[in-house]
Amino acid sequence: ERVEFKNLGFIVIDEQHRFGVMQRAELKNKGKNPDVLLMTATPIPRTLAMTVYGDLDVSILDEMPPGRRPVKTLVFYEEKGARKRAYDKKGRQAYVVYPLIEESMSPDFKDLKYATQMADELQKEIFPEFQVGLLHGRMKTEEKDEVMRRFISRDIDILVSTTVIEVGVDVPNATVMVV
């Protein structure tokens, strides 16, 4: 609120869904009709509506940065041996993402695995030779930052997480993601 600009002409907002409508408007009002570039890897319904009904142009970045190898996406169904085949994919570090933090009493979610249980199972039963970490939305910001710092510094080999993980976090050594 206290920041003032001499001549604000261009605004870049990365992960725009993290900013509220009022925050974006307030920032835009600090200039004289500045151009605004909104970026997101995860379009939310409001963003999609703005592209259809609002004054928003869409640019799609569909090229890989120079030197980046293509991503391989593999699908494994819950059949006998499929989980083992998925875990056999060799990588350096890995993300393993679950939809829930802990077991849900809702019948709609009774068949879903949850992060706290699976972090424990992965550490004790499947990958005892690796360091498994846990990250979820109920953790304090300082705890989440510490887990990510340990993952980035390679103190954690496998990061079990809910969808709270930040898409833009750059961990080049993490070459596998299981969802």
Side-chain angles (χ1 to χ4, degrees):
E1 293 175 354
R2 295 184 303 253
V3 174
E4 292 187 26
F5 298 94
K6 182 177 179 184
N7 186 16
L8 182 63
F10 185 62
I11 301 168
V12 178
I13 300 175
D14 190 12
E15 296 298 338
Q16 69 95 13
H17 61 277
R18 297 177 140 239
F19 292 82
V21 173
M22 297 307 292
Q23 286 175 310
R24 290 193 302 265
E26 193 175 312
L27 184 58
K28 192 172 180 179
N29 287 335
K30 290 182 177 275
K32 292 183 176 116
N33 197 26
D35 290 312
V36 180
L37 174 63
L38 302 173
M39 298 189 307
T40 184
T42 52
I44 58 173
R46 183 176 187 287
T47 306
L48 295 174
M50 287 171 63
T51 62
V52 174
Y53 303 111
D55 184 22
L56 213 86
D57 295 323
V58 177
S59 297
I60 298 174
L61 302 177
D62 59 359
E63 298 176 12
M64 297 292 268
R68 184 80 60 91
R69 291 186 284 182
V71 173
K72 281 189 207 174
T73 301
L74 306 171
V75 177
F76 296 92
Y77 296 96
E78 283 290 331
E79 58 195 26
K80 187 176 181 177
R83 185 170 302 243
K84 178 164 179 11
R85 286 198 319 275
Y87 290 151
D88 281 344
K89 291 298 157 200
K90 300 288 187 257
R92 289 174 254 172
Q93 284 175 280
Y95 293 97
V96 181
V97 183
Y98 290 95
L100 302 173
I101 296 172
E102 55 196 23
E103 187 172 21
S104 173
M105 294 299 130
S106 169
D108 295 336
F109 302 125
K110 69 179 173 71
D111 294 332
L112 295 178
K113 298 192 180 331
Y114 47 98
T116 53
Q117 173 201 24
M118 292 309 298
D120 192 51
E121 184 177 312
L122 287 170
Q123 181 67 79
K124 291 177 180 171
E125 299 173 26
I126 300 171
F127 297 113
E129 70 276 19
F130 294 108
Q131 183 64 43
V132 176
L134 176 64
L135 181 71
H136 59 73
R138 288 195 199 137
M139 297 169 75
K140 293 179 179 164
T141 301
E142 301 80 36
E143 293 173 309
K144 290 189 276 190
D145 290 346
E146 175 63 13
V147 169
M148 283 309 301
R149 185 197 62 71
R150 291 183 59 225
F151 188 58
I152 291 166
S153 68
R154 301 181 187 181
D155 293 335
I156 293 174
D157 303 300
I158 300 167
L159 181 60
V160 175
S161 179
T162 59
T163 56
V164 72
I165 55 173
E166 182 62 47
V167 173
V169 172
D170 185 18
V171 184
N173 201 53
T175 57
V176 174
M177 179 178 279
V178 177
V179 180

